[in-house]
Amino acid sequence: KAPLSIQSEKHSFVKRMESEPRFEEITAFPRRLATPALLDVGRRTWIERTGKTAISIFCLDSSHTGYAGLVHGGILAALVDDGCAEYSNRGTLTLYPLTKYLSVEFEKPSPTGGVFIAKVSTSRPFPLNNSDSRKVWVKCEISVLRGEDKMIPVVKASALFILCKTLPQLPSYNEASNSIEDIFTYRGG
């Protein structure tokens, strides 16, 4: 486990989740991040046996700082995206959950050194119909724990993921650079 897990492992919330019969701990799906250590926050995740809700606990330290003593909002947004993707992909490891839409609202500044709880659930039943069978709408709330039971909401988010059998092909370097040049080319008029 990551060094950050030491703080969260001692928290009574972990003990409650381990003994909660409605939830089972899951292993995260393999991430494909260029810098996976960035999101290595000692996260442990439990999913409700009905599949309706996933709950994670993790810690953020000074390596996740934006302004002194505060967690960078981009780190929280990346954790939201990662946690929602993990939840969207809970039924299979053969599909890739790709973010189509992500809206993140920061409720309060988040202090570094805290223990955080993320709750992810569906925001719409899925699949809505056959044409929507690859769409997964989710919502996420992140709170920082104060003491043993007080949770202070810091982030609310909603997202849409598209489950893909294969990853989309990216344009080649030449194709991408040509299209960027086209944007800046004056065509007269």
Side-chain angles (χ1 to χ4, degrees), residues 9 117 147:
E9 286 296 323
I117 301 294

Side-chain angles (χ1 to χ4, degrees), residues 13-178:
F13 184 85
V14 171
K15 302 298 180 231
R16 281 188 297 218
M17 290 305 296
E18 288 175 335
S19 64
E20 175 59 58
R22 294 180 305 131
F23 287 84
E24 64 181 322
E25 189 166 5
I26 61 169
T27 305
F29 72 94
R31 292 182 187 85
R32 291 159 182 85
L33 299 173
T35 54
L38 182 66
L39 297 183
D40 187 8
V41 294
R43 180 173 61 182
R44 289 183 65 188
T45 302
W46 293 267
I47 191 160
E48 198 172 11
R49 293 187 190 279
T50 62
K52 293 180 181 176
T53 304
I55 297 176
S56 298
I57 185 169
F58 55 92
C59 295
L60 299 172
D61 65 12
S62 60
S63 66
H64 304 104
T65 298
Y67 291 108
L70 297 176
V71 175
H72 191 287
I75 297 293
L76 288 167
L79 285 165
V80 164
D81 186 51
D82 195 54
C84 288
E86 180 178 75
Y87 175 80
S88 298
N89 199 43
R90 69 193 181 284
T92 176
L93 294 179
T94 60
L95 298 175
Y96 298 93
L98 299 182
T99 310
K100 172 76 174 173
Y101 166 83
L102 178 64
S103 174
V104 179
E105 187 175 330
F106 300 97
E107 301 285 307
K108 291 187 174 163
S110 304
T112 56
V115 176
F116 293 80
I117 301 294
K119 180 180 177 184
V120 181
S121 58
T122 54
S123 58
R124 297 184 190 177
F126 63 92
L128 300 175
N129 58 47
N130 285 342
S131 66
D132 289 333
S133 64
R134 296 180 6 199
K135 295 179 182 179
V136 181
W137 289 92
V138 294
K139 61 184 176 180
C140 177
E141 297 172 0
I142 297 179
S143 299
V144 63
L145 283 168
R146 287 286 176 248
E148 294 300 313
D149 291 323
K150 186 175 181 184
M151 295 200 301
I152 301 167
V154 293
V155 173
K156 288 185 180 177
S158 59
L160 169 61
F161 286 86
I162 308 298
L163 299 178
C164 299
K165 291 181 183 177
T166 60
L167 291 174
Q169 293 296 315
L170 298 176
S172 70
Y173 174 77
N174 288 336
E175 291 170 329
S177 61
N178 288 342

